[in-house]
Amino acid sequence: WVVPGVYQYSGNGSYTNGLERSKQALDSQMAKDGLERLPKNPFAASAYQTDVAMQLLTKLGPAAVAKAWTIGSTLNLISPSLAFAPAFRALDHNSFYMTPGNNIAEKLTNYVSDGKNLRFVSLLVIGTLSSGLFLAAGLCGLVVMLRTRDRQIILTAIFFFLAAGYFLGITGPIIGPKYRIPIEPFLVLSAAYLLCHITKGCRFLR
């Protein structure tokens, strides 16, 4: 999952190309090691696949990995919670992962312009816009928290930042609205702090 995402979001090719490259690398390594199949132990099999994936990521280079991680984190941050609702996911739509495109701009363009996704994409755009506004409020709230003179509030803001960074770091180029859920509480609290800060400075909202 990680290698194809890095391959595409770094601009090296499509997600499908990344999948094919991953499979070829795994088959080649197994042939070198004289293996006809992966170990039966799932942990051993996972470790073997991880080693092959790390070799591929090393070849792509740190710049490509950093770019893919940044794009993946950004997409996860703006992914609307609506996209995780069963009723919404039941609507006809194509797979975002398998949508062709050699970079994120081309991939998004192809996904949005597909007529089969019209109803799904329309709701997704509305959800993404509202999600983006909420994200902006949360980030502004975090900045306001950091600018206070209250040591406890500043430490809380730093904790929010580090915790959110951790969740974004472990998901990387794996895209999905569910990966935003662990960050939601931090955004809610920082957005609420921003609202409190605004209302204190506006007598009409007190």
Side-chain angles (χ1 to χ4, degrees), residues 105-117:
E106 188 175 324
K107 186 183 185 78
L108 286 172
T109 300
N110 290 337
Y111 188 78
V112 172
S113 61
D114 192 329
K116 297 179 181 178
N117 295 334

Side-chain angles (χ1 to χ4, degrees), residues 75-85 88 123-132 176-178 180 184:
L75 290 175
N76 282 329
L77 276 174
I78 63 175
S79 295
S81 300
L82 171 68
F84 199 56
F88 178 75
L123 293 173
L124 187 64
V125 169
I126 295 173
T128 301
L129 290 175
S130 61
S131 180
K178 61 185 176 182
R180 176 191 166 113
E184 289 282 352

Side-chain angles (χ1 to χ4, degrees), residues 169-182:
I170 61 175
T171 55
I174 308 302
I175 311 301
K178 61 185 176 182
Y179 300 123
R180 176 191 166 113
I181 293 176

Side-chain angles (χ1 to χ4, degrees), residues 4 11 14 18 28 32-33 38 40 67-68 92 94 98 109 112 120 128 135 150 164 167-168 174-175 184 195:
S14 68
S28 176
K32 289 180 181 178
D33 296 335
L38 289 171
K40 292 183 179 180
K67 181 180 179 181
D92 290 336
N94 293 332
M98 302 310 296
T109 300
V112 172
F120 183 87
T128 301
L135 173 63
D150 189 314
F167 287 114
L168 292 174
I174 308 302
I175 311 301
E184 289 282 352
L195 182 61

Side-chain angles (χ1 to χ4, degrees), residues 96-162:
F96 181 76
Y97 274 113
M98 302 310 296
T99 299
N102 294 327
N103 53 60
I104 186 59
E106 188 175 324
K107 186 183 185 78
L108 286 172
T109 300
N110 290 337
Y111 188 78
V112 172
S113 61
D114 192 329
K116 297 179 181 178
N117 295 334
L118 185 58
R119 185 180 178 188
F120 183 87
V121 168
S122 297
L123 293 173
L124 187 64
V125 169
I126 295 173
T128 301
L129 290 175
S130 61
S131 180
L133 291 174
F134 175 63
L135 173 63
L139 293 177
C140 289
L142 193 64
V143 172
V144 173
M145 291 173 72
L146 290 170
R147 295 183 64 183
T148 63
R149 296 182 180 180
D150 189 314
R151 183 171 178 270
Q152 187 174 2
I153 293 177
I154 293 174
L155 290 176
T156 300
I158 293 174
F159 170 74
F160 285 177
F161 178 80
L162 293 177

